[in-house]
Amino acid sequence: LRLKDISGEDLLKQVDALCNLSEIYRQIADYDKAEKTMVELEELMPDDPHMKVFWLNCRAEIARRRGKLQDCRRQLCEALSLAKTFNSPADLVAQIYNNLGICHWSLGKLKESAGYYKSALALYRQLKDLGGQSKIINNLGIINDEMGRLCKAAKSYEKAQKIFERIGATRSRAYA
């Protein structure tokens, strides 16, 4: 299907379905199918900068899960640059910052990781997104733990746990 073949509400439904399908494929680790849905999204909306930001972010996650960390980092940096240029929604930008934090953590660059997590946390606070905040605070706890800052790590874990409990989430559901 091409953009010219679909219009209005049908296009939005197709895009939404592909986004959801890609998420499912990523969750079950079927990265080939997830990548194919990204190609379909790109073909449906090749000129939409926000969609490009979205699929770059998704492709970066696939690259990270496949162990291609430099490719992940490159795609996330491109996504962040486009997101800033085209004023993408704050929740998408926060996701990119979170993914950059995860990528840098995986690369062993803990200070850079913490910086990206802090940027994500600031956006999640602006959005009043408690789920996003708890996830990031927990991730900061992990980084502080790995850096030997055990008191800071403990405070982060406690703060994240309070938010998790407040919103009814479990720690396992809140991870990246």
Side-chain angles (χ1 to χ4, degrees):
L1 294 173
R2 296 262 182 212
L3 183 58
K4 65 183 180 187
D5 300 327
I6 306 173
S7 62
E9 193 173 311
D10 290 337
L11 175 64
L12 294 177
K13 285 180 183 177
Q14 181 73 19
V15 167
D16 189 50
L18 286 170
C19 290
N20 290 330
L21 190 57
S22 173
E23 176 66 21
I24 291 167
Y25 289 142
R26 287 194 315 274
Q27 291 299 322
I28 63 171
D30 192 337
Y31 305 128
D32 291 333
K33 287 183 181 177
E35 182 64 33
K36 286 178 185 177
T37 61
M38 292 296 102
V39 170
E40 288 183 58
L41 279 169
E42 186 176 1
E43 290 173 353
L44 273 175
M45 302 183 75
D47 300 321
D48 185 309
H50 301 297
M51 187 54 61
K52 184 171 183 176
V53 168
F54 172 79
W55 57 255
L56 277 168
N57 187 45
C58 292
R59 281 184 167 154
E61 182 183 349
I62 293 167
R64 179 184 60 82
R65 290 182 181 198
R66 287 181 163 164
K68 299 177 180 179
L69 298 176
Q70 294 301 331
D71 190 38
C72 170
R73 184 183 173 285
R74 181 190 53 75
Q75 290 184 61
L76 288 170
C77 288
E78 183 180 350
L80 184 59
S81 177
L82 283 172
K84 289 179 176 180
T85 299
F86 293 101
N87 199 27
S88 290
D91 62 329
L92 180 55
V93 177
Q95 289 173 20
I96 295 167
Y97 278 126
N98 181 49
N99 287 340
L100 277 162
I102 295 168
C103 181
H104 281 82
W105 173 45
S106 299
L107 287 166
K109 298 180 177 186
L110 301 180
K111 286 184 181 180
E112 292 91 339
S113 178
Y116 286 118
Y117 285 143
K118 289 175 183 176
S119 295
L121 182 58
L123 288 171
Y124 283 129
R125 283 182 173 150
Q126 283 178 355
L127 294 167
K128 297 180 179 11
D129 180 340
L130 293 176
Q133 289 176 49
S134 60
K135 174 174 62 176
I136 299 301
I137 292 167
N138 188 68
N139 289 349
L140 283 166
I142 294 168
I143 295 298
N144 282 315
D145 201 347
E146 289 192 13
M147 293 175 86
R149 300 175 182 162
L150 302 182
C151 288
K152 280 182 101 171
K155 287 179 183 178
S156 291
Y157 292 143
E158 288 170 12
K159 185 182 272 188
Q161 181 180 4
K162 286 179 183 175
I163 298 171
F164 294 152
E165 290 170 352
R166 181 174 163 200
I167 62 175
T170 64
R171 208 172 146 151
S172 62
R173 284 184 47 212
Y175 275 100

